[in-house]
Amino acid sequence: MSIATERQTIQNFVNGVWIDSASSETLPVIDPATGKTITHVPLSTAEEVRAAAAHAHEAFQSWRDVPVTERAQVMYHMKALLDKHHDELAHSVTRENGKLHDEAWGEVRRGIEVVEFACAAPTLMQGRSLQDVSRGYDTVMYRFPLGVVAGISPFNFPAMIPLWMAPLAIVCGNTFIHKPSERTPLTGNLLAELWAEAGLPNGVFNVVHGAKAVVDAMLSDPDVRAVSFVGSQPVAAYVYATAAAHGKRVQALAGAKNFTVVAPDADMERATATVLSSAFGNAGERCLAGSVVISIGDATKELLPRLIEGAKAMRVGPGDDPTAEMGPVIRAEHCARVEQYIEQGVQEGATLALDGREGRSTDGGYWLRPSIFTNVTPEMTIAREEIFGPVLTVLEAETLEEAIAIANRSRFGNAAVLCTTSGAVARTFQMQIEAGMVGINVGVPSPIAWFPFAGWKQSFYGDLHATGEDGINFYTERKAITSRW
Ligand code: NAD
């Protein structure tokens, strides 16, 4: 794998061919650990989206008729190729996103898992049948692909999130246009190389790089039937409304503010490890990051000193340094935005028990150390808004009911976690908490590919979640045929 990323400006991949964008506008792709430019990404034009969609539409006319058993064979090849290039892909993720190599490796693994799920398409694509629905009448339901699907992904999982989308869309018989994040576009090109090598016909998988103009063109393109989006809440709301207004099927996974509730009966050593890795893993740039802790009653006394001590001891360094425990954040502007939230927390009266602006590296790159706020009220900005950086906010509650009520007041509902040793407490929490993904003593409750991945409330726009059976339903149309002979 190489052609795709080792250029002055990376190329689009359309109809099986690598092509330069017609646009002269580019953005630098930067290594967040050094601040140095790796290459440039083109800001492609609406006309280039139109051309890619027309090719994808043309490719759809034959891809949809390829038997599902043959489409599944491509997934088996892709799985083998992803395994073969696993480490290389992880290095690419680390290089452009900054996350630790282990985290990048894990993300690639979670992406491969979706391809493994897609290998079961001959079973997943099955419909249903019922004979004698009335005397002499039989009904069967078949699934059909939709056509061209557009996939728009965020910067924080450059390998995994495109792999939530493309394998399922393609194995169901659709064709696909990917717009990677303009901040982390390189891994998307490596995936395009692998899809071609896996045996996809030209035009089935395409990449068009760019930013808002590319997204807008996708949302209104006449050949695009469905849009899978993952990104921040305001953009998700915009994508959902705009694509729906153009008659498209949409799933838009959005931002988050995830609560980790620590009960007084929790194993505090485990709870500390759970909270620290959830809040500061991927430098807090994870939609499942447990960025708010609510400690109940006596839990605070034991938990808080452990959290502060653990966070203080974390080794922050480049993702390819095996001793590093947290990498850089994505860009200088993002770093400044996180610092602004820290400042706002202080101004709103919270106690900054650990200040991640202190003692950080100034040697290139975008560095912050972990921050922890205490004496926080649920109304403060730092307890409500997604910061998307290494900042942990600690709230206190008297009872489980109060903790659940605080969490449920959030406009987000992506994930929620409880640390406890009590089954009864766990049951109350999992029944009452308003979130799409719940962890009991699991800090990052990311469901495996066989289950639906998405949140509730403003963390998700649409009805069919990513992956699992929802994914198959999203990428297919159902037809019920009733016959009498
Ligand atoms: P983002 O919203 O800035 O960008 C996401 C995609 O949308 C990118 O491809 C970008 O080019 C495009 N985009 C950006 N602004 C746009 C605009 N105004 N109009 C049209 N398109 C636009 O998100 P990000 O910063 O790349 O990613 C981080 C966000 O994604 C966080 O909020 C995080 O919680 C969220 N996220 C959610 C999930 C989930 O499963 N719910 C998973 C990962 C990330």
Side-chain angles (χ1 to χ4, degrees):
M1 294 194 295
S2 64
I3 342 158
T5 56
E6 286 169 14
R7 301 178 68 91
Q8 182 75 16
T9 302
I10 60 171
Q11 293 179 301
N12 292 332
F13 183 69
V14 177
N15 202 28
V17 181
W18 290 101
I19 42 170
D20 289 327
S21 167
S23 167
S24 54
E25 267 190 274
T26 62
L27 286 175
V29 181
I30 299 171
D31 177 346
T34 61
K36 294 201 173 111
T37 298
I38 304 168
T39 175
H40 291 80
V41 59
L43 298 179
S44 306
T45 62
E47 291 70 39
E48 292 175 284
V49 173
R50 179 79 281 282
H55 283 298
H57 181 68
E58 181 62 32
F60 174 65
Q61 307 314 317
S62 42
W63 181 244
R64 68 175 167 194
D65 292 333
V66 172
V68 65
T69 46
E70 288 179 32
R71 296 199 301 256
Q73 288 304 317
V74 178
M75 298 299 143
Y76 284 102
H77 291 311
M78 186 63 174
K79 144 88 177 143
L81 287 168
L82 288 166
D83 281 341
K84 182 174 161 200
H85 295 286
H86 194 147
D87 214 44
E88 217 174 320
L89 287 160
H91 278 297
S92 168
V93 169
T94 293
R95 183 162 74 134
E96 62 179 345
N97 170 279
K99 67 177 73 173
L100 306 181
H101 182 69
D102 279 0
E103 294 170 337
W105 202 92
E107 123 159 47
V108 175
R109 178 67 206 114
R110 295 307 300 266
I112 295 173
E113 195 181 275
V114 185
V115 179
E116 290 166 355
F117 174 60
C119 288
T123 304
L124 299 169
M125 284 285 285
Q126 286 176 18
R128 291 196 294 155
S129 66
L130 185 64
Q131 61 190 13
D132 280 324
V133 292
S134 183
R135 281 187 182 75
Y137 289 71
D138 304 322
T139 300
V140 293
M141 183 274 276
Y142 291 119
R143 291 175 183 279
F144 292 83
L146 303 168
V148 180
V149 173
I152 301 155
S153 52
F155 81 84
N156 64 331
F157 284 95
M160 179 182 77
I161 290 178
L163 287 171
W164 283 351
M165 305 169 177
L168 298 187
I170 290 170
V171 87
C172 287
N174 302 285
T175 55
F176 194 84
I177 310 174
H178 180 213
K179 193 212 79 69
S181 165
E182 62 277 30
R183 287 181 281 184
T184 54
L186 305 180
T187 309
N189 274 15
L190 298 181
L191 292 173
E193 285 190 20
L194 295 183
W195 280 119
E197 196 180 338
L200 281 185
N202 292 346
V204 174
F205 182 86
N206 309 274
V207 181
V208 179
H209 289 288
K212 181 171 167 53
V214 170
V215 174
D216 284 343
M218 287 171 151
L219 303 183
S220 61
D221 191 278
D223 282 332
V224 170
R225 286 288 317 280
V227 177
S228 290
F229 172 89
V230 181
S232 61
Q233 183 273 325
V235 182
Y238 166 77
V239 165
Y240 182 69
T242 311
H246 286 93
K248 322 262 179 244
R249 187 178 285 196
V250 201
Q251 55 177 194
L253 284 71
K257 190 75 172 173
N258 306 308
F259 292 78
T260 304
V261 175
V262 180
D265 60 56
D267 172 335
M268 288 302 160
E269 203 175 313
R270 278 187 60 181
T272 305
T274 299
V275 170
L276 289 176
S277 71
S278 178
F280 301 121
N282 278 29
E285 294 170 334
R286 214 162 28 189
C287 71
L288 294 179
S291 55
V292 187
V293 163
I294 310 179
S295 69
I296 301 175
D298 287 346
T300 315
K301 277 202 308 278
E302 253 196 275
L303 182 69
L304 198 54
R306 287 171 188 256
L307 287 179
I308 294 172
E309 193 191 332
K312 213 183 245 176
M314 279 180 93
R315 217 187 149 279
V316 178
D320 54 11
D321 173 349
T323 67
E325 293 167 291
M326 190 178 99
V329 298
I330 188 74
R331 288 284 181 277
E333 310 84 74
H334 191 70
C335 202
R337 189 168 163 270
V338 175
E339 287 178 66
Q340 257 170 29
Y341 275 115
I342 295 174
E343 200 44 53
Q344 194 164 358
V346 173
Q347 274 167 22
E348 289 182 8
T351 304
L352 186 53
L354 185 64
D355 187 347
R357 297 168 299 183
E358 284 173 7
R360 60 177 152 172
S361 162
T362 50
D363 190 16
Y366 314 125
W367 301 103
L368 278 167
R369 294 192 50 77
S371 291
I372 298 184
F373 275 108
T374 59
N375 295 316
V376 180
T377 63
E379 294 71 35
M380 290 181 184
T381 309
I382 51 168
R384 290 186 295 107
E385 293 303 316
E386 182 178 50
I387 298 174
F388 221 58
V391 179
L392 176 65
T393 297
V394 183
L395 295 170
E396 292 177 57
E398 289 300 315
T399 61
L400 177 67
E401 288 66 32
E402 187 192 345
I404 292 173
I406 293 171
N408 284 352
R409 281 209 295 276
S410 172
R411 68 189 172 101
F412 297 111
N414 214 38
V417 169
L418 173 70
C419 298
T420 186
T421 50
S422 158
V425 170
R427 189 169 191 282
T428 302
F429 183 81
Q430 70 195 38
M431 299 311 266
Q432 294 183 3
I433 199 76
E434 293 168 6
M437 295 171 278
V438 173
I440 306 295
N441 299 316
V442 172
V444 182
S446 168
I448 59 166
W450 289 257
F451 286 86
F453 189 116
W456 287 11
K457 304 199 270 188
Q458 287 182 35
S459 289
F460 178 63
Y461 296 83
D463 44 11
L464 294 169
H465 291 193
T467 69
E469 196 185 344
D470 269 25
I472 303 299
N473 282 333
F474 184 78
Y475 295 118
T476 55
E477 198 108 77
R478 272 84 74 203
K479 186 185 282 183
I481 303 163
T482 301
S483 55
R484 181 177 62 139
W485 291 98

